[in-house]
Amino acid sequence: MYQMLDPSRFVVFITGATSGFGAAAARRYVAAGGKVIATGRRRDRLIDLQIELGAENCHIAELDVQDRAAIAAVIADLPPPFDGINIVLANAGLALGLQPAAETDITDWETMIATNVTGLAYTVRALLPGMIARGGGHVVTLGSVAGDYAYPGGSVYGATKAFVKQFALNLRADVQGKNIRVTNIEPGLTETEFSLVRFKGDETKAAKPYEGTKPMNAEDIAESIFWSTTLPAHVNVNRLQLMATTQAFGPFDIYRGN
Ligand code: NDP
Ligand code: 8X3
């Protein structure tokens, strides 16, 4: 019988736990007996999640990952057993807009970089020393297929996810010998609030990517995150790319107007 790790020993710090992958992962870890620290900006969502999962399993903290001092304060305030973090799920992130680069709102670019790049780096940097001091752990980052494959309107979003991928790989080189695993999860089309955020609350535009097809859902991604962290300690999944079966690759776009 293949021996997976015991998830009841997991203490998982999750950014972006108010929705989508983060919320689904919190539910998955608690269902398996683990403890989670659920963070995000929307306090009402955090409170609902804590009521659902139980305060003994789910500690909550309002947190904007762009705020480095707030990350440090949340970590410093953690009560036992939530202070024994051995998994970090650096998941908080967003896409804003789908316009061509020359027409985009520059503040959208700033927000994506501040959240997906700077906020993710702050999160990992703040939590890594504690895990190393406790003898090991696992950093899971949320990349995207957009970090590998270009598409129109994806300029800065895709670039932030390329950063996440390379950050995760470089991190792995840095923690060699410290019993820290690093995994970059790279999903494609998945129905969450992602599209609603990208299109700033426009429900018609947000529904379009999922129309007439079967995208993945938050539970699909949470299961993959959970699986990668439950593998025996000598196994490291470096990158895990997932797509809906209904999503595949297209040809290069060749301009023929010359
Ligand atoms: P959701 O919009 O459903 O969830 C995003 C989460 O990120 C929310 O909990 C939100 O919480 C949090 N968040 C956003 N900005 C901040 C911030 N500044 N500080 C703290 N938390 C923040 O989207 P998904 O679950 O789909 O996305 C999760 C991650 O997966 C993102 O990094 C996304 O880029 C990535 N991804 C998504 C894919 C998809 O198709 N859905 C595919 C590939 C990758 P709150 O607003 O309460 O702060
Ligand atoms: C989210 C997937 O294809 O919308 O990262 O960029 S995509």
Side-chain angles (χ1 to χ4, degrees):
M1 175 83 170
Y2 195 69
Q3 204 58 48
M4 303 294 270
L5 295 185
D6 174 5
S8 71
R9 301 185 149 185
F10 291 167
V11 181
V12 191
F13 187 99
I14 304 176
T15 63
T18 56
S19 169
F21 305 163
R27 293 188 176 101
R28 184 64 184 93
Y29 280 107
V30 170
K35 309 269 182 223
V36 298
I37 299 106
T39 72
R41 292 167 303 176
R42 285 170 289 180
R43 186 168 177 71
D44 53 337
R45 297 276 191 106
L46 293 173
I47 290 168
D48 288 349
L49 189 66
Q50 189 180 48
I51 290 168
E52 178 189 332
L53 299 180
E56 69 285 13
N57 302 315
C58 176
H59 179 84
I60 55 171
E62 213 176 315
L63 181 64
D64 184 335
V65 294
Q66 299 178 39
D67 185 342
R68 187 155 55 93
I71 298 174
V74 165
I75 296 168
D77 277 356
L78 289 173
F82 297 101
D83 56 352
I85 297 162
N86 47 29
I87 299 176
V88 176
L89 178 54
N91 160 76
L94 76 173
L96 289 172
L98 201 56
Q99 298 94 336
E103 294 160 30
T104 195
D105 179 344
I106 192 75
T107 63
D108 285 350
W109 282 6
E110 288 171 342
T111 304
M112 286 188 278
I113 294 166
T115 311
N116 304 0
V117 174
T118 311
L120 180 134
Y122 284 168
T123 303
V124 173
R125 179 63 183 82
L127 288 156
L128 201 50
M131 288 204 300
I132 292 172
R134 284 185 292 277
H138 199 149
V139 176
V140 181
T141 51
L142 249 298
S144 168
V145 293
D148 266 350
Y149 306 109
Y151 63 81
S155 53
V156 163
Y157 179 68
T160 66
K161 293 306 184 180
F163 169 91
V164 173
K165 171 186 64 185
Q166 201 59 28
F167 178 67
L169 292 174
N170 287 337
L171 199 60
R172 215 165 124 40
D174 276 357
V175 295
Q176 173 71 305
K178 299 198 174 351
N179 194 32
I180 301 278
R181 301 191 287 179
V182 185
T183 300
N184 191 42
I185 304 284
E186 304 170 8
L189 189 72
T190 318
E191 190 164 10
T192 60
E193 291 177 17
F194 176 83
S195 195
L196 199 61
V197 172
R198 168 171 256 171
F199 295 111
K200 302 180 179 174
D202 183 329
E203 293 184 1
T204 311
K205 279 190 185 168
K208 277 257 174 299
Y210 314 121
E211 258 172 33
T213 192
K214 188 164 177 55
M216 296 184 289
N217 57 47
E219 287 70 33
D220 296 323
I221 306 308
E223 195 59 36
S224 306
I225 294 166
F226 180 77
W227 170 78
S228 70
T229 58
T230 316
L231 284 167
H234 66 281
V235 181
N236 191 98
V237 178
N238 296 341
R239 302 174 58 190
L240 184 56
Q241 189 178 90
L242 302 113
M243 280 185 176
T245 310
T246 53
Q247 181 179 30
F249 310 100
F252 284 119
D253 180 21
I254 299 172
Y255 181 66
R256 300 185 193 278
N258 294 331

